[in-house]
Amino acid sequence: MPVNQIHTYRLRMYVTEEYNPQGDGGNKTFSVKVNVYGRDRVADEVSDVLLANIPEENQYNDGVDTFITGEDPNNYIWYSGKLWRAVSVNNQAKTTKLVTQWNISAIPYNPSKQTNFAGSYMESWLNDTTVDGFLYNLRDYENFIVTDATWDATEDTSELGNITRPNGTTVVTDAVGLLNMYEYQSSNNGETDGYLNNGLTWWTLTPYSASGVRGVNNDGIANYISPSTAYGARPSINLKSSVKIVGGDGTENNPYRLEGDNDTDLSGTMLNTRYSGEYIRFGSGENNLYRIVSHENGTGTKIVSAEPLKDSGTFKTMSFGDTVTFSSANTIGTFLNGDYLTNYVGDSYSDMIEDSTTWYLGTVGYGTSYKLAKYTDETGNTLTSSTTTAKVGLLRSGELMAGQFDRYSNNTHYWTLTPYSASFVRNVYYNGIANYDGFSGANGARPSINLKSNVQIVRGDGTKNRPFEIQLGS
């Protein structure tokens, strides 16, 4: 309780019958002294709190970093609208490496036979400082993360269990990277059931050969595959040594909260000032949990359903349409801009949605850049002319939040609105891989919409347990 705040509590006490043997219902008096002790919570550096609260048997010190190990240690951290796991603490700099608990998106790593992290599609996606980018959408990132961190992308052909620190032959300097295979192995002594196995398929930044990059399968097994495949992306960052923990206990339901990212009283705050990944209540019933994607249109807030739509607990599937081109008149577009608005959202929420949003329909084929979904080429300077307008759409391939967030409840594939070719449309598999399906195939839907600029927060802190509740402001 903050200093100078007054709270009133009611204390109810009971006594056993031996204090009233006559059974007359009372007429006894007694007094009790209650002492209430309080103390200010002193914020401590992340590295100190983590290592002090993780048992020694769940720590592995290789002389450079101290890794957190085990199947499910209390190393959850909430930062910038996303749930992270603390992986290691650097022994000298006291920086803390984090990785997102879930895949944030899924993209090709690079063209075929280009296994380098430096200059890759993946490096670009992670460190993009435009409105589309992961780094751009991190909260006050220059205050929280090391922007010139080093990432060891040295080739490694060893099998799981052969835990050897890479020799630094290939090092890349970036604000955001991925875990390498050594870091993945160090989380549970080379076993597959450690906390970094999130039940999804995702990239590391470790090349296996001139034609393959290391990834982790949904069963935790390490593999290698062509960089043209679209595996999941789990961004990794290094928190500065000065960042402090001010709340939480490191569990999944009560993750550590960071000083400067622990807002509590947000009533009246405009939603368009908040951060990618934060949760929102929108609509009613079983499909009322959404997440912020970005502020792509500048003034509003783009959101997406936190998981594919359900009907009575079962994921709803449908065909895309008669072609690969999304519109408000194709099969899925008709549903989203009709039945969905009426029966899943309702008038009070529908009024918060912008009536017309531009949806980008660029094609992302095998081994091509995620930027082609929105732009004419990889430079990202010119928007594609392949667009449509509608009130409700879908996320495009490679967009923020176009990944799976809970492997065990999102057990279905779902559509994006990005064509793969003239016959196929990009989708996201339940295991986190971005793949494709014929437009007549059946997949789930995660509706995406742009909320108006005057939508404001009524209550909540944006976490999954306390999502924002919103209303239209004046």
Side-chain angles (χ1 to χ4, degrees):
M1 182 171 65
V3 177
N4 297 327
Q5 272 194 22
I6 298 174
H7 283 239
T8 301
Y9 297 92
R10 192 165 102 181
L11 182 64
R12 179 175 293 174
M13 303 185 68
Y14 299 89
V15 296
T16 63
E17 291 183 355
E18 63 189 55
Y19 286 94
N20 185 26
Q22 289 78 23
D24 58 4
N27 298 320
K28 302 285 184 180
T29 60
F30 63 96
S31 62
V32 175
K33 181 179 180 181
V34 178
N35 294 321
V36 179
Y37 298 97
R39 66 179 180 85
D40 293 334
R41 171 148 189 178
V42 178
D44 294 314
E45 284 75 15
V46 174
S47 58
D48 291 340
V49 174
L50 279 170
L51 298 185
N53 289 284
I54 296 291
E56 288 189 12
E57 59 266 28
N58 290 117
Q59 297 183 31
Y60 162 57
N61 187 342
D62 71 355
V64 177
D65 297 304
T66 298
F67 290 89
I68 297 170
T69 69
E71 295 185 12
D72 192 24
N74 293 335
N75 61 342
Y76 291 91
I77 293 178
W78 180 262
Y79 162 58
S80 192
K82 286 161 280 292
L83 189 63
W84 305 73
R85 303 303 289 266
V87 177
S88 62
V89 172
N90 183 268
N91 295 342
Q92 182 174 3
K94 300 302 180 184
T95 55
T96 303
K97 178 164 286 190
L98 308 184
V99 66
T100 55
Q101 168 68 4
W102 303 113
N103 300 0
I104 303 301
S105 194
I107 65 170
Y109 194 93
N110 228 9
S112 179
K113 297 183 179 180
Q114 295 185 35
T115 60
N116 47 288
F117 178 69
S120 65
Y121 299 151
M122 181 60 69
E123 182 193 35
S124 174
W125 184 89
L126 294 167
N127 293 280
D128 189 345
T129 53
T130 72
V131 69
D132 306 310
F134 181 80
L135 180 58
Y136 174 89
N137 284 279
L138 281 183
R139 180 175 189 170
D140 300 332
Y141 69 85
E142 292 180 334
N143 294 326
F144 283 93
I145 73 173
V146 180
T147 56
D148 59 350
T150 57
W151 306 88
D152 197 327
T154 303
E155 184 177 303
D156 185 0
T157 60
S158 63
E159 300 300 321
L160 282 180
N162 298 320
I163 306 177
T164 303
R165 190 178 185 92
N167 59 19
T169 300
T170 305
V171 174
V172 181
T173 301
D174 273 317
V176 189
L178 302 174
L179 297 184
N180 60 36
M181 277 305 302
Y182 171 73
E183 291 164 332
Y184 173 64
Q185 291 200 75
S186 297
S187 69
N188 202 35
N189 301 313
E191 300 296 327
T192 61
D193 56 354
Y195 67 89
L196 288 180
N197 175 9
N198 65 358
L200 300 173
T201 300
W202 45 279
W203 289 114
T204 75
L205 53 65
T206 301
Y208 178 81
S209 66
S211 59
V213 179
R214 286 286 201 179
V216 177
N217 285 345
N218 54 287
D219 57 6
I221 298 294
N223 67 353
Y224 58 94
I225 198 164
S226 168
S228 296
T229 306
Y231 269 23
R234 291 179 71 182
S236 179
I237 58 176
N238 288 277
L239 292 179
K240 292 182 175 181
S241 60
S242 57
V243 177
K244 296 180 179 181
I245 287 174
V246 292
D249 60 11
T251 59
E252 183 175 9
N253 291 325
N254 188 24
Y256 289 124
R257 300 300 302 269
L258 304 181
E259 188 175 50
D261 187 52
N262 61 320
D263 308 306
T264 53
D265 185 10
L266 290 168
S267 177
T269 301
M270 305 311 293
L271 189 66
N272 62 11
T273 66
R274 299 307 300 176
Y275 303 95
S276 179
E278 291 184 310
Y279 288 88
I280 300 168
R281 288 281 181 219
F282 192 83
S284 59
E286 61 185 328
N287 297 292
N288 70 349
L289 191 63
Y290 285 69
R291 299 189 79 173
I292 294 176
V293 177
S294 66
H295 305 288
E296 186 176 54
N297 67 352
T299 59
T301 304
K302 190 173 191 178
I303 67 174
V304 66
S305 177
E307 63 179 16
L309 294 179
K310 292 179 179 178
D311 280 339
S312 299
T314 300
F315 288 112
K316 182 179 182 66
T317 60
M318 68 193 77
S319 68
F320 192 80
D322 296 327
T323 70
V324 299
T325 303
F326 176 84
S327 73
S328 60
N330 77 337
T331 303
I332 197 168
T334 298
F335 165 76
L336 291 173
N337 290 276
D339 186 34
Y340 164 73
L341 287 174
T342 302
N343 297 319
Y344 292 75
V345 174
D347 291 342
S348 61
Y349 285 97
S350 185
D351 289 344
M352 301 183 195
I353 306 173
E354 291 284 0
D355 290 327
S356 182
T357 288
T358 298
W359 304 93
Y360 301 98
L361 308 178
T363 298
V364 177
Y366 183 71
T368 58
S369 172
Y370 68 97
K371 289 186 177 180
L372 298 181
K374 184 177 179 180
Y375 299 95
T376 57
D377 57 38
E378 295 175 16
T379 65
N381 294 324
T382 305
L383 292 169
T384 179
S385 60
S386 299
T387 62
T388 191
T389 56
K391 188 165 185 173
V392 187
L394 302 168
L395 294 184
R396 58 184 179 270
S397 184
E399 193 166 7
L400 293 170
M401 301 294 115
Q404 292 283 17
F405 302 109
D406 187 339
R407 162 66 177 80
Y408 303 104
S409 66
N410 287 6
N411 195 18
T412 191
H413 309 335
Y414 62 86
W415 293 113
T416 73
L417 48 67
T418 300
Y420 175 81
S421 67
S423 303
F424 297 96
V425 180
R426 284 280 189 183
N427 62 1
V428 178
Y429 273 23
Y430 71 91
N431 63 1
I433 295 175
N435 213 324
Y436 54 89
D437 197 2
F439 47 74
S440 61
N443 287 272
R446 292 179 64 206
S448 180
I449 52 187
N450 267 298
L451 299 183
K452 294 176 180 177
S453 60
N454 61 333
V455 171
Q456 65 183 24
I457 297 167
V458 176
R459 62 183 63 86
D461 62 8
T463 61
K464 190 173 184 179
N465 291 333
R466 296 187 64 227
F468 293 136
E469 296 181 36
I470 57 177
Q471 66 181 15
L472 273 177
S474 56

